[in-house]
Each structure stands twice: as structure tokens, then as C-alpha cells.
Amino acid sequence: MSDSESTQIGDYRTSHIERGENYDRNLAKDPFDAYMCDMERVHLQRILPQLFPDGIARYLDFACGTARITQTVAPFARETIGVDLSPSMLAAARQRCPSVRFVEADLTRAAIDLGTFDLATAFRFFGNAQPTLRQQVLQVLADLVRPGGYLVLNNHRNPGSLAALFHRLTGGQPEMDLTHHALQRLLAKHGFQVVNSLPIGAWLYRSRMLGQVRTVDDGSLRREAMFGHRFLAPVAPDTILVARRRA
């Protein structure tokens, strides 16, 4: 299966240090990456008013990259902070969201007093990161998200998706390791309870289809509605998870 952000050898921290200039362009070139971005935006714009009918007081975008998710969520928040360790990604983020405060830091290695947040997001991170880094980041986020607050994240590299299963059955090599259920267990271990799962692309059952998917239109929105039940998250190539921080 093609994926513009396949798992890196070694520490995922260093994989995007110099990728800020071309990151958005590379996402736009890959049909499924572009489709995921569009559908993630659609879902976020729907669920945020439901989670925070009075708006979000404090919002953190962890591993914010070029601020793709920050740009979508920040209009719902009174205060937004984006954190990333890549100077090149943050340069692009500051151009995209000039009113947002961006911090260059590795929160797993440096103690920075950012306060606590009502909402944190982490997109295109956990599916790529190595297992140890996933644990370290969730330990950090468990301290940053206030009890009762929310962590909204995605898993865009699900080895249990129908497309990934078909890929392996037809001779493809396994390239991913974070199943939907494994991510749920990992969140629970660090004090987060998944309260909603929003599958994306569950109807795309062959890897070839991922490279041919069209941009979001009325037809794809109808398919997403038909195959959007949370019980299909384990077989979707991308899923947004809404997790609440336990008291």
C-alpha cells in the first residue's frame, strides 16, 4: 500500500525536521491523503460544536506540523497553541495561522509550562510513531488535558483495514502495526476513554481504490454516511477517535 508517510526506521521524532516546505504539497499529490484531509476537516467541523457548544477555552495541537488541523480547530477556540519540534514545519504553520502561538519543543524531553487544555488534537502521528514514542506522548498528553477534557486524534495507518488485509492476501508486505483496538487499549492505559470513533474510507476495500479515490463530493459523502458507523472503525483505513480524559 502506498503511503506518503510510511513508518520511519528509528526515531519518528527526526522524520519531519526538514519536510515543512514540501509537506502540504506531498499530501495533496496523494489521492487518499488528500481525501483523508478533506474528510477529517468535515468531521471536525461537525463534532467540535457538539463537544464544546460554548466554544473551546484552551486548545493544543500536538505535533501540529504545518497547522493543517490547527487551522480547522482554532476558529472554535479562544486560545490556541501548536507544538512541534520541526522548525521547517512551524515556519509553514506560522504562515498559515499567524494569530496562533506556536512552540518549538519536544514535550517528551523538555518540561515546558503550557498549562492544561480543554482539547488536544494529534493527527497523523500515532500511526507513524514507534511504540515507545506513542507511550511517551500519551503520558505527556494525559498531564496536559484537564480531567473531563478531550483528546481528538486519528489513526491513518490501520493494519486491520479491509484494504490492508486485501493487500497482504495478494502478496503485499505488512507495513503498519497500530490496529484500532490496540490504539483504544493504549488510550485507556493512559487515562483516556474513547467516546466516539468516526471511520473514514471503510468502503475502500482494495489498496488500488485508495489511489483512485476522488475528492470529497456528494457521492463520497453518501458512502461515508453509509459506512460511517463506529463499529466499522476497526476495518477503516483512517479513523478519528474522540477520547475523554478520565477524572
Side-chain angles (χ1 to χ4, degrees):
M1 295 176 68
S2 65
D3 180 52
S4 64
E5 291 189 80
S6 59
T7 303
Q8 304 291 321
I9 296 173
D11 195 334
Y12 182 64
R13 289 178 178 87
T14 62
S15 64
H16 287 60
I17 296 295
E18 304 297 334
R19 293 183 62 180
E21 184 176 347
N22 298 317
Y23 182 82
D24 291 326
R25 190 178 305 118
N26 289 337
L27 282 187
K29 276 197 269 188
D30 184 279
F32 188 61
D33 280 341
Y35 180 79
M36 283 191 292
C37 291
D38 287 344
M39 279 307 307
E40 288 162 2
R41 186 182 308 111
V42 167
H43 281 307
L44 285 170
Q45 289 172 341
R46 287 176 178 170
I47 65 174
L48 290 174
Q50 298 170 8
L51 295 175
F52 299 96
D54 298 321
I56 306 162
R58 302 195 75 232
Y59 161 53
L60 170 71
D61 191 8
F62 175 84
C64 65
T66 60
R68 178 179 64 88
I69 297 297
T70 318
Q71 184 180 41
T72 297
V73 181
F76 296 91
R78 291 187 284 279
E79 180 184 0
T80 298
I81 297 176
V83 175
D84 203 285
L85 56 76
S86 166
S88 68
M89 300 287 261
L90 289 176
R94 292 185 176 105
Q95 287 188 342
R96 177 175 269 162
C97 299
S99 64
V100 170
R101 176 190 172 193
F102 290 101
V103 177
E104 182 184 332
D106 180 350
L107 297 182
T108 67
R109 292 175 171 171
I112 298 177
D113 185 10
L114 298 175
T116 58
F117 296 86
D118 302 276
L119 171 69
T121 56
F123 274 65
R124 299 187 74 91
F125 177 82
F126 286 97
N128 288 323
Q130 66 269 24
T132 300
L133 182 56
R134 293 169 186 159
Q135 298 264 9
Q136 293 170 342
V137 166
L138 280 173
Q139 289 173 8
V140 170
L141 291 175
D143 290 333
L144 290 172
V145 177
R146 66 167 180 79
Y150 291 91
L151 170 62
V152 179
L153 66 159
N154 84 315
N155 181 13
H156 69 299
R157 291 176 53 77
N158 175 19
S161 72
L162 295 177
L165 291 170
F166 191 86
H167 175 70
R168 294 197 295 275
L169 288 172
T170 54
Q173 295 298 310
E175 301 167 350
M176 301 171 283
D177 70 331
L178 186 62
T179 66
H180 180 69
H181 293 305
L183 181 52
Q184 286 185 304
R185 290 193 297 270
L186 190 59
L187 288 164
K189 177 181 177 181
H190 292 278
F192 291 97
Q193 179 184 3
V194 175
V195 297
N196 199 4
S197 298
L198 305 164
I200 295 172
W203 53 279
L204 297 166
Y205 60 89
R206 296 186 64 177
S207 57
R208 185 173 62 184
M209 296 171 70
L210 303 182
Q212 297 173 340
V213 67
R214 295 171 295 179
T215 55
V216 172
D217 55 20
D218 289 343
S220 58
L221 287 173
R222 284 194 297 271
R223 293 185 186 93
E224 292 294 340
M226 290 174 59
F227 293 88
H229 197 284
R230 62 182 301 173
F231 290 139
L232 290 176
V235 297
D238 184 24
T239 295
I240 295 174
L241 295 91
V242 181
R244 191 169 187 268
R245 179 75 170 92
R246 291 195 294 266

